Amino acid sequence: MRQSQAVVLLGILARNGIVTAGSLPRGVGPEFVKFYEIQDTFACIGHPSITIPASRVNDNSCDCPDGTDEPGTAACALLDHLSPEQPLPGSLSGTTNTTNALPGFWCENKGHIGAYVPFMYVNDGVCDYDLCCDGSEEYGSVGGVKCENKCVEIGKEWRRVEKERKENLERANKRRRTMAKESKELRRRVEVRITSLGEEIKELEVKQAELRAKLDEVERQERFKVVKNEGPGKLGVLAGLAKTRINELRDTLSKVVGERRQLQAKVQELESILAAFKEEHNPNFNDEGVKKAVRAWEDYSARRDTQEQLNEMDILEVMKEDSEDAGINWNEFEEDEPTDTDILYSFEAYLPGPLREFLHSKINLLRIWLIENGMLADVSSEKSESRLVKAAREAHDSVANEVSSKKRTLEEQQRDLEKNYGKDDIFRYLKGKCITTEAGEYEYELCWLDKTSQKSKKGGGKTTMGNFDRFDWDEADEEERHDGKGLGRGKRVVMRYENGQGCWNGPNRKTDVWLACAETEELWRVSELEKCVYKMEVGTPAVCEEAVEPGHVKDEL
């Protein structure tokens, strides 16, 4: 087959009526009929000033500089020695480097689609059914070759495949419309989230300002109290001493347990020696010292079996550090209640309400005035911060942290809204989803807008082949596949995945993900174009209606 070499131009039926075959020279296409109407002379199409007798059309001799006098032969496939000497008088080209004005030999292909065959294929002894299914280009029967007309069966099969292709394309476009609708909804949710976060942040900032003012006021009031507790009360001191003493006892007990274990090991060693001595001594040997030692061992063994042994687990339980779940919970003894000093100076609590408030405010105002004017030292410190200040600070910090968290989320959502997700935000629907395929000894994975990776079937971790960087366009030039799982020809969307894991003594891996229209997301093929540079061919409905840049023909599925 020579389809890869031929330039095929599909015929367009002439709108000015059908011309009978007998009235035209062989090989004339519908769009050139007007130039070949039966006349006594023929004017070269590209050089109308040059005319020849009509009888010299298709005489297997190239008379016109543009080859238009031989639409049905291969004479002008290349200019031969029979062509007139160049340049011809009045020739527009002025050179022998002319090109044929005709696209090729026209095959009508009734029952299928008319097409042009390159002139060099005319009468070459080969049936070019992929271009000329009616076999008319081999009318000369060169070498006894006769090409029968197969347009009926070829046309039938082509229409079946074309119908299936259109159905697949319609299903793919239908799914893309669904994806676009989902993507639009996802974008709307982001926009709603951004609006909601903005309102929440404004409310929280107002609340934060109020809590900040309250914290400042509480700190000011607490800092200027007449009496300020500078340390723990009696209960706190007692609890601290008890805790210290218990920790000392626990450390001592730990040392005792260690020594106990050493002694137990020695005792076990001695007992094993005496037990062996009892079993191995000769009872018939009349030695009172030996007999006395054996009896003493037997008495010791009997007492040992009846004595209650201290369980070491109990000792270890006692040695555990104090916490809320074991031992003493020292937090219960921390002084949240008023100390002795607080009680001593809370005499205003016994005064009538109006008088108590009056005295309290006046005393505080006096102390504030004295401190602010440098007449009284401010002995406040964070370590002695009161419970009121702590509560106010915690409330303020909690809201402040929430404001910071929501601002970070808002920035992330805004960046996401500005990100390029392709036409109609279609790839927003695919974001985070992954597809895989197996090739050779590896399993390859593509995660949309995230990363590409490979993993050996023999085990081990994944190797990152690239992280998503941007969308791009590139020109594909491949033969159409019968199963539709190919890039074909034309401008294609390419996703660039850069800066993957480094290769051994090489650059960082990267992957170009070429996209073509398909009904579902499929990772068709993976190839390594050069060291650590990979190409993935992927089908997806996301690009079935992608706009093509000006000057390029759309060629999907």
Side-chain angles (χ1 to χ4, degrees):
M1 305 297 284
R2 296 172 176 153
Q3 185 175 6
S4 60
Q5 302 173 2
V7 178
V8 180
L9 300 176
L10 297 180
I12 302 173
L13 294 177
R15 295 185 179 180
N16 56 352
I18 299 176
V19 181
T20 60
S23 65
L24 287 175
R26 190 192 305 271
V28 177
E31 64 267 43
F32 296 98
V33 167
K34 62 183 179 181
F35 298 106
Y36 293 90
E37 292 176 348
I38 298 176
Q39 298 175 357
D40 293 335
T41 60
F42 172 77
C44 300
I45 294 175
H47 305 270
S49 62
I50 302 175
T51 60
I52 61 174
S55 61
R56 293 173 63 179
V57 175
N58 279 342
D59 66 347
N60 207 32
S61 177
C62 199
D63 299 307
C64 291
D66 57 6
T68 52
D69 63 310
E70 297 296 322
T73 73
C76 296
L78 297 172
L79 293 178
D80 59 23
H81 65 283
L82 297 178
S83 298
E85 186 177 352
Q86 303 287 337
L88 293 173
S91 171
L92 298 179
S93 65
T95 175
T96 58
N97 188 22
T98 58
T99 56
N100 204 315
L102 300 175
F105 177 94
W106 174 252
C107 296
E108 188 175 1
N109 293 339
K110 287 184 178 180
H112 189 30
I113 298 175
Y116 285 104
V117 178
F119 285 115
M120 66 179 63
Y121 293 171
V122 176
N123 286 327
D124 64 348
V126 178
C127 298
D128 300 294
Y129 285 121
D130 55 334
L131 302 176
C132 195
C133 61
D134 61 7
S136 58
E137 91 281 11
E138 297 297 324
Y139 61 86
S141 301
V142 176
V145 174
K146 186 176 181 180
C147 300
E148 59 181 293
N149 190 332
K150 294 186 177 181
C151 285
V152 174
E153 53 264 41
I154 291 177
K156 182 179 180 181
E157 175 62 17
W158 181 88
R159 286 187 290 274
R160 184 192 68 79
V161 173
E162 182 67 8
K163 180 182 178 182
E164 182 178 342
R165 185 190 70 84
K166 289 181 178 179
E167 289 174 351
N168 291 339
L169 179 59
E170 178 55 33
R171 286 194 295 269
N173 284 329
K174 182 178 180 180
R175 184 161 185 271
R176 189 191 185 280
R177 290 191 288 271
T178 301
M179 292 168 61
K181 185 177 179 181
E182 291 288 336
S183 298
K184 184 177 180 180
E185 173 61 20
L186 291 172
R187 182 181 179 86
R188 187 194 68 81
R189 292 178 187 175
V190 174
E191 293 171 344
V192 170
R193 178 64 173 152
I194 289 175
T195 303
S196 175
L197 283 170
E199 294 174 353
E200 291 175 12
I201 289 172
K202 288 180 180 178
E203 294 176 358
L204 287 171
E205 285 178 337
V206 172
K207 186 176 180 181
Q208 181 183 2
E210 294 174 351
L211 290 172
R212 179 74 256 182
K214 183 176 180 180
L215 172 60
D216 292 341
E217 179 62 24
V218 170
E219 284 182 332
R220 187 168 178 266
Q221 293 292 335
E222 290 295 302
R223 186 167 62 247
F224 299 144
K225 277 186 176 180
V226 177
V227 176
K228 194 167 185 69
N229 177 34
E230 293 294 337
K234 291 181 180 179
L235 180 59
V237 173
L238 181 61
L241 293 172
K243 185 176 181 180
T244 303
R245 183 60 176 164
I246 288 175
N247 286 336
E248 290 174 354
L249 293 173
R250 184 177 284 111
D251 292 340
T252 304
L253 180 59
S254 177
K255 294 177 182 178
V256 170
V257 169
E259 293 177 358
R260 177 175 180 267
R261 289 172 178 168
Q262 292 178 358
L263 293 173
Q264 282 180 331
K266 291 181 180 180
V267 170
Q268 289 176 356
E269 183 180 0
L270 292 173
E271 286 179 347
S272 62
I273 293 173
L274 291 172
F277 175 74
K278 176 181 178 298
E279 295 297 329
E280 296 174 2
H281 85 284
N282 186 358
N284 296 323
F285 186 74
N286 191 15
D287 188 329
E288 289 299 327
V290 172
K291 291 180 179 179
K292 185 176 181 180
V294 170
R295 285 194 298 271
W297 164 247
E298 291 173 346
D299 294 339
Y300 168 80
S301 297
R303 291 195 306 273
R304 181 192 60 180
D305 295 338
T306 59
Q307 288 178 348
E308 184 177 354
Q309 300 292 324
L310 180 63
N311 190 347
E312 187 167 334
M313 294 300 296
D314 296 335
I315 300 175
L316 295 177
E317 186 68 26
V318 173
M319 292 170 60
K320 284 183 178 179
E321 291 291 333
D322 292 327
S323 65
E324 294 182 359
D325 301 324
I328 301 173
N329 184 7
W330 294 104
N331 293 332
E332 296 178 355
F333 296 93
E334 292 183 359
E335 287 195 336
D336 291 331
E337 299 299 324
T339 64
D340 301 334
T341 308
D342 294 328
I343 296 172
L344 178 63
Y345 287 95
S346 63
F347 63 90
E348 6 177 284
Y350 298 96
L351 298 175
L355 180 58
R356 180 173 65 249
E357 293 176 3
F358 175 78
L359 288 175
H360 183 75
S361 62
K362 295 301 180 182
I363 292 172
N364 273 347
L365 288 174
L366 176 61
R367 183 170 177 78
I368 291 170
W369 184 84
L370 291 172
I371 292 176
E372 289 179 345
N373 288 276
M375 302 172 66
L376 188 66
D378 183 5
V379 294
S380 63
S381 66
E382 284 190 21
K383 293 184 179 178
S384 60
E385 196 172 64
S386 70
R387 291 190 302 276
L388 287 176
V389 174
K390 286 181 179 179
R393 189 183 303 282
E394 288 173 358
H396 171 269
D397 291 347
S398 175
V399 174
N401 291 336
E402 190 173 359
V403 169
S404 299
S405 175
K406 288 187 180 294
K407 282 184 176 180
R408 287 193 298 270
T409 304
L410 177 61
E411 291 174 359
E412 291 173 0
Q413 295 294 312
Q414 289 173 335
R415 286 196 298 269
D416 181 75
L417 204 61
E418 296 169 359
K419 191 180 296 184
N420 181 14
Y421 283 100
K423 184 183 177 183
D424 300 327
D425 260 12
I426 195 71
F427 287 94
R428 190 180 292 276
Y429 174 84
L430 295 174
K431 181 182 179 182
K433 298 179 180 179
C434 301
I435 53 177
T436 60
T437 190
E438 293 183 356
E441 61 181 43
Y442 291 100
E443 179 183 73
Y444 294 91
E445 182 178 57
L446 162 66
C447 292
W448 298 100
L449 304 180
D450 186 10
K451 62 183 179 181
T452 56
S453 61
Q454 65 177 9
K455 182 179 180 181
S456 174
K457 295 179 183 178
K458 299 177 181 179
K462 291 183 178 180
T463 300
T464 301
M465 298 163 57
N467 297 288
F468 177 71
D469 184 67
R470 67 190 185 280
F471 287 101
D472 204 352
W473 293 88
D474 214 333
E475 192 77 29
D477 186 17
E478 297 181 2
E479 294 288 343
E480 293 285 350
R481 294 173 60 96
H482 293 297
D483 59 5
K485 297 182 178 182
L487 299 177
R489 292 186 174 90
K491 207 71 170 173
R492 296 290 179 265
V493 176
V494 182
M495 302 175 71
R496 308 292 186 186
Y497 284 71
E498 310 282 350
N499 297 318
Q501 288 181 229
C503 285
W504 178 254
N505 289 332
N508 288 348
R509 292 174 172 84
K510 65 178 182 178
T511 309
D512 291 337
V513 180
W514 290 66
L515 304 180
C517 180
E519 186 178 350
T520 59
E521 286 74 34
E522 291 183 81
L523 179 48
W524 292 330
R525 284 169 294 281
V526 181
S527 56
E528 188 171 4
L529 303 179
E530 54 185 275
K531 185 176 182 181
C532 302
V533 178
Y534 304 90
K535 177 182 180 181
M536 288 184 172
E537 297 179 33
V538 180
T540 173
V543 296
C544 288
E545 295 177 352
E546 280 287 352
V548 179
E549 293 181 345
H552 297 279
V553 179
K554 183 176 179 181
D555 185 19
E556 294 288 0
L557 197 61

